[in-house]
Amino acid sequence: MKIRLRYFGMIAESAGKNDEVLELNDGISAKELKARQIERFELPDPESVQIAVNQNLEEEVELKDGDEVAFLPPFAGG
Amino acid sequence: MDKKKPKKVFVQGAIPPEKIAGSIANHQSKTNIGAHSIFLGQIRADEIEGKTVAAIDYSAYEEMAEKVFHEIRETAFSKFDITCAHIYHSLGTVKTGELCLFVFTSSAHRKIAIEACNYFVEEIKAKVPIFGKEIFEDETHQWKVNK
C-alpha cells in the first residue's frame, strides 16, 4: 500500500524533505511507522513528535492505502 | 455572521495594524454588540545565548490547521454567547515588533468577549499545527516551542 508522509518544521529539516510516498506492507500501525521514521532520520527529541493520520492526531491506528501521515514537531502558533 | 462557514485564517507575512482598525470599523454597524476583546500577538526580540531574535518564519500543516481552527470556532460558539469571532495568523516571515496573531471576539457584554478571546488564544497555541523558526540577527535559527 502507498502512504504519503509529510514532514514539518524541524522534522522536515532533519528529514531533508517535506514529503514522500512510501510503499509499505499491510498491517503497519501509525505508531510503528512513527518509530521507524524517528530512527531513520535520527529525529531529536522523539518524545515531542506527534503524528496526524489524515489530519487527526492519533497513532493507535492501522494504516490503509492512501493515508496521509504527518510528522509534527511541537506547535508554536501565536 | 455565519459561524458554520470555515474562514480563511492565514495571512502571508505580518498582520498590518490597519487590519485591526478595519475590523473594528466593520463592527460599528452591529449595534447588538456591547464589547469587543482583542488579542494581538507580537514578535518579541528574545535573547538566547547572546543572540537576538530578528524574526519568526511561520509554517503550518495548513489543511489540518484550517480544520482545527474551525473546530475551535465551533466549540467557542457553543461555550460562549459571542456575536462573532475573527482569527488571523501569519505564515512566512514576521519581524520583531510586528504582529503574527489577531483574535477579535465580540459580545453583548465584556466578560463573555474577554473569556472567549482568551479561550481562542489558549486553544490556538495548544492545538493548531503551526511551527515557528526563530531567526537570529546572524541568520542562524532555532525552532520555537510554545510553553
Side-chain angles (χ1 to χ4, degrees):
Chain A
M1 61 176 178
K2 280 190 166 61
I3 304 291
R4 184 175 184 216
L5 283 77
R6 297 182 67 181
Y7 307 113
F8 292 90
M10 69 176 88
I11 297 174
E13 202 171 69
S14 297
K17 59 184 101 181
N18 295 319
D19 56 11
E20 65 183 324
V21 175
L22 292 186
E23 184 71 51
L24 299 170
N25 292 329
D26 287 357
I28 188 172
S29 73
K31 196 174 181 172
E32 285 161 346
L33 178 62
K34 177 185 173 183
R36 203 168 120 169
Q37 298 307 91
I38 284 174
E39 197 181 307
R40 176 181 163 205
F41 296 126
E42 297 174 355
L43 297 181
D45 195 12
E47 304 77 46
S48 74
V49 176
Q50 294 193 89
I51 53 170
V53 179
N54 302 325
Q55 303 175 13
N56 295 306
L57 288 178
E58 56 183 345
E59 49 184 61
E60 304 292 345
V61 56
E62 193 173 301
L63 297 174
K64 32 182 215 314
D65 188 49
D67 278 350
E68 176 173 289
V69 181
F71 285 69
L72 311 172
F75 299 166
Chain B
M1 200 61 49
D2 182 2
K3 67 179 185 187
K4 296 289 176 204
K5 193 170 134 245
K7 297 183 170 203
K8 195 91 190 122
V9 170
F10 287 118
V11 296
Q12 204 58 42
I15 297 163
E18 296 74 27
K19 191 170 184 68
I20 290 110
S23 291
I24 296 167
N26 288 342
H27 288 75
Q28 292 190 316
S29 58
K30 298 179 183 175
T31 49
N32 55 334
I33 292 172
H36 301 301
S37 187
I38 290 174
F39 175 85
L40 300 173
Q42 175 170 303
I43 307 298
R44 191 175 53 236
D46 270 349
E47 224 180 275
I48 302 157
E49 291 167 10
K51 296 193 287 188
T52 307
V53 171
I56 294 182
D57 184 17
Y58 284 107
S59 57
Y61 182 11
E62 285 187 58
E63 304 93 314
M64 179 176 164
E66 296 282 2
K67 193 182 92 154
V68 177
F69 274 126
H70 182 65
E71 288 164 3
I72 294 171
R73 273 183 72 81
E74 293 287 290
T75 310
F77 272 95
S78 66
K79 279 173 83 87
F80 304 99
D81 190 14
I82 43 178
T83 315
C84 51
H86 304 269
I87 311 167
Y88 299 97
H89 198 293
S90 295
L91 282 182
T93 304
V94 186
K95 292 186 221 138
T96 51
E98 293 184 330
L99 301 175
C100 57
L101 173 61
F102 171 26
V103 177
F104 186 169
T105 54
S106 308
S107 180
H109 303 285
R110 69 185 183 285
K111 257 192 177 170
I112 291 165
I114 293 168
E115 279 172 19
C117 186
N118 196 38
Y119 175 82
F120 271 108
V121 174
E122 296 303 321
E123 288 287 286
I124 290 165
K125 283 185 174 272
K127 293 185 178 169
V128 185
I130 296 173
F131 317 102
K133 187 158 79 169
E134 291 175 318
I135 300 166
F136 296 108
E137 283 168 346
D138 65 359
E139 291 178 13
T140 57
H141 71 266
Q142 72 164 26
W143 292 90
K144 178 176 178 267
V145 176
N146 276 350
K147 303 211 169 52

